[in-house]
Amino acid sequence: MRTRRKSKRLLTLALSVVTLGALTTTVAEAGVSPVVRTDSGPVRGVSTSEYRSFQGIPFAAPPVGELRWAPPARPEPWTAVRDADKPGPRCTQGAGIGSAPSDSEDCLYLNVISPAKPTSKPRPVMVWVHGGGFTSGAGSDYDFKRMALGGDVVVVSVNYRLGVFGFFGHPELGRDSGVFGLQDQQAALRWVQRNARAFGGDPRNVTLFGESAGAMSTCAQLASPSAAGLFHRAIIQSGPCTLTWPEGGFFPGAPAGSPYLPRAEVEAAGADTAKKLGCADVACLRRVPAKDLLSQPSGAPTFGTDLLPEHPATALKAGRFARVPVLTGVTRNESRLLVALFPGHPFTEEHYQELLRTAFKDKAPLVAAEYPSAKHGGPAMAFADAMTDRSWGCSQTGTERLLRERTWTFGYEFADQDAPPLLPAPPGMRPGASHGSELAYLSDMTPSPGKLTPAQQKLAAQMIQYWTGFAKTGNPNGDGLPKWRPSPRTQSLAPGEIHPVDLAAVHNCGFWAGI
C-alpha cells in the first residue's frame, strides 16, 4: 500500500503534465464595465468592442474550516457590486508543469467570457475543466476568447479542489470520500444552470469539456447520477474513460492502474495520513495547516461513492451513463510528454529494455520486437510510442466503442507533429503531437507553449469551429469544414491534413490485444 501511494504521487507529478426573469444584465458599450446580477449578487466585469469577461466569480463558499472535506456550499450572498476583473485564487497546490504554487483553500471561483455583440437567442455554454493530474492548474490558465468569438458561445472555466483537498478519503467521510473536487465541478455546473441566462447563455445547452484530468473528470461526470441534467454534451480530450497503464508505464515506480481508485483504498490512505499527522479524527485533520497537508498522498477520483458509484469504464460497459452526444479524442504521441519527465535522459537501450520488462514481464521481448529503437528514433521514443499505443490509443478505441453503442459519438486524433509542446524535449526525443499539445489551438494559455504558424492558426480556427459546432448541435460538422464522420471513423487533425483514419490501425491495437 505504501509503495502504491508513493508511486501515485510520482504519477500525479507526471500528469502535472439560472432562472429566466430572475436575473438582469446591464447592456454595456465597449470600454464600459458591464454589471451582471447573479443569484448571489451583482458582479462587474470588463467589456471591449469584441467580448465581455468576468473573472473570479464565487460559485461556492470557501471550503475552509468545517467545510474542508465537505460538499461545496452555496456562497454567501452580497449586495454591493463585486469587481470581477481578475481571477480568484488558485486552489491549494505545489508547483506543477508551468503552474504556479498556491496555499489558498478559498479557491472555488469561475470565469465567464462571451461575445459582446447582442444576440436574439441565448448562446450555447461550454464549461471547461482544467487538467493537471488532479494536483495542479486553474481555470484561469486558459483564455478562451478565440473560442467564444470564433464559435459565438459562452465559455465558463472553473476551479476545483485539488490533491489532498479534493480527493482525500477517510472512514469518517464515508461516501463523500475522494470526490470533493468532482463535487465542486457539479456545483459549478449548477451555478451555470442558475446563472447562464444572465450572461447570455442557454442553460438548456451546456457542454462539459476538459483535457487530461479534466477529461477524466468529464468521464466521471458522465457516470455520475448526481450530474444528470447538468450538461447536454461532453468533450473528452486525452482522458479515455477506459484508460489503463502497465506498471511503470506512466512514470517509473507507478503501479499498473487507472485514474480512478476504489473507496476502500482511498479511505485506508486517509486513515494512514491521519495517523502520521497525529490526528484521531477528521475534526483534528481540519485544523492542520494547509501547507502541512500539501505533501500528503492526494488520492484520486474515487468510485464506490454516492457521486461515482462505479468505475466509469464499468458504467460505460453496462450503459449506466448520461446518454449525451460525446466528442472524444487523443493526441498522436500522448506519452512523449510523460516519458520526457522520466529521469535518465538520454535513454540507453538497456534502460529501454528494463522499462519493458517492468511493464510487460515475460511479454517484453514481443514488445521490443514490435517497437525497436532503430525504427522509432531511439530508446526513449520507442518506449513513449509503445505506451502511447497501449495506454492511450487503444484505450481510446475501447472508449469510443462503448460510447457509440448507446450515444452519438465523434472521435478525433490530434496529429500535428510540429505542435508547440508543453515542455521542451529532452535529449533523444521529439515531442510530436504529445499530451496537451492541442490545447494551444483551442485557447491562449498561461504560460504560452509557443506561437502557432499561419497553417497552425488555420487548423486552430477549424478546430474551434468543430468544437463549438458540436456544442451547438451535438454534431461538429459545419459549412466549409472537412466532413467529420461519427465513430468508428476517427478524424485526424493536422494543418492541411484533416481526414478520417482507422485509429485502431494507427495505434497497432491488433498487436496490443494479444499482449
Side-chain angles (χ1 to χ4, degrees), residues 3-12 14 245-257 342 358-359:
T3 299
R4 182 177 178 88
R5 292 197 296 271
K6 180 179 178 182
S7 300
K8 184 69 179 179
R9 292 196 295 272
L10 292 173
L11 185 153
T12 53
W245 52 81
E247 182 180 353
F250 237 115
F251 202 73
F342 282 29
T358 298

Side-chain angles (χ1 to χ4, degrees), residues 38-40 43 55-63 71-78 82 88-89 91 105-112 127-130 139 156-161 180-195:
T38 74
D39 66 335
S40 295
V43 293
Q55 300 183 85
I57 303 174
F59 66 86
R74 292 279 288 270
E76 192 72 25
W78 61 90
R82 180 188 181 110
C91 286
E105 288 186 79
D106 177 6
C107 64
L108 298 184
Y109 299 90
L110 54 74
N111 315 293
V112 183
V127 180
W128 173 252
V129 183
H130 68 81
V156 179
S157 60
V158 307
N159 288 355
Y160 55 98
R161 281 173 282 183
F180 301 107
L182 298 179
Q183 289 176 344
D184 296 341
Q185 295 165 17
Q186 290 190 8
L189 287 167
R190 292 188 178 93
W191 183 95
V192 167
Q193 288 299 307
R194 300 191 306 270
N195 293 285

Side-chain angles (χ1 to χ4, degrees), residues 23-348:
L23 306 173
T24 59
T25 303
T26 299
V27 177
E29 298 177 357
V32 178
S33 299
V35 174
V36 167
R37 185 168 299 279
T38 74
D39 66 335
S40 295
V43 293
R44 178 186 289 110
V46 174
S47 180
T48 74
S49 61
E50 293 185 310
Y51 66 87
R52 300 197 314 166
S53 170
F54 300 81
Q55 300 183 85
I57 303 174
F59 66 86
V64 300
E66 292 300 309
L67 292 181
R68 179 190 280 178
W69 303 314
R74 292 279 288 270
E76 192 72 25
W78 61 90
T79 55
V81 176
R82 180 188 181 110
D83 285 333
D85 57 355
K86 61 180 180 297
R90 307 166 72 81
C91 286
T92 314
Q93 58 192 276
I97 298 176
S99 181
S102 172
D103 60 2
S104 177
E105 288 186 79
D106 177 6
C107 64
L108 298 184
Y109 299 90
L110 54 74
N111 315 293
V112 183
I113 190 163
S114 66
K117 65 181 180 182
T119 180
S120 60
K121 61 180 181 179
R123 294 179 168 99
V125 182
M126 301 182 70
V127 180
W128 173 252
V129 183
H130 68 81
F134 298 107
T135 62
S136 67
S140 56
D141 290 342
Y142 306 84
D143 180 350
F144 284 103
K145 189 184 299 96
R146 285 189 287 118
M147 179 172 283
L149 297 178
D152 196 32
V153 296
V154 177
V155 184
V156 179
S157 60
V158 307
N159 288 355
Y160 55 98
R161 281 173 282 183
L162 301 166
V164 71
F165 302 94
F167 302 97
F168 178 77
H170 189 278
E172 281 188 42
L173 298 172
R175 294 182 68 84
D176 284 326
S177 283
V179 293
F180 301 107
L182 298 179
Q183 289 176 344
D184 296 341
Q185 295 165 17
Q186 290 190 8
L189 287 167
R190 292 188 178 93
W191 183 95
V192 167
Q193 288 299 307
R194 300 191 306 270
N195 293 285
R197 289 191 184 278
F199 294 87
D202 186 353
R204 299 166 301 177
N205 187 358
V206 175
T207 297
L208 183 65
F209 74 130
E211 185 267 347
S212 193
M216 298 163 194
S217 296
T218 302
C219 285
Q221 303 298 357
L222 279 171
S224 174
S226 52
L230 295 180
F231 60 96
H232 312 94
R233 326 201 193 288
I235 300 176
I236 302 168
Q237 299 175 212
S238 296
C241 302
T242 59
L243 175 67
T244 64
W245 52 81
E247 182 180 353
F250 237 115
F251 202 73
S258 84
Y260 314 97
L261 292 177
R263 181 159 64 101
E265 183 174 333
V266 173
E267 289 183 352
D272 186 57
T273 293
K275 183 178 179 180
K276 286 191 297 183
L277 293 172
C279 281
D281 53 26
V282 170
C284 170
L285 285 169
R286 286 179 172 139
R287 295 191 294 271
V288 175
K291 63 181 177 61
D292 295 334
L293 286 168
L294 192 56
S295 61
Q296 299 301 315
S298 61
T302 303
F303 59 93
T305 58
D306 286 339
L307 184 145
L308 190 59
E310 56 192 341
H311 193 295
T314 303
L316 260 62
K317 291 171 185 174
R320 291 188 287 267
F321 66 93
R323 307 296 178 82
V324 300
V326 179
L327 188 154
T328 175
V330 291
T331 67
R332 177 66 186 86
N333 311 109
E334 290 278 3
S335 286
R336 291 190 189 176
L337 176 72
L338 305 178
V339 174
L341 294 168
F342 282 29
H345 289 281
F347 280 16
T348 63

Side-chain angles (χ1 to χ4, degrees), residues 376-391:
H376 287 264
M381 295 275 283
F383 186 69
D385 291 349
M387 291 302 100
T388 291
D389 292 351
R390 187 277 183 215
S391 294

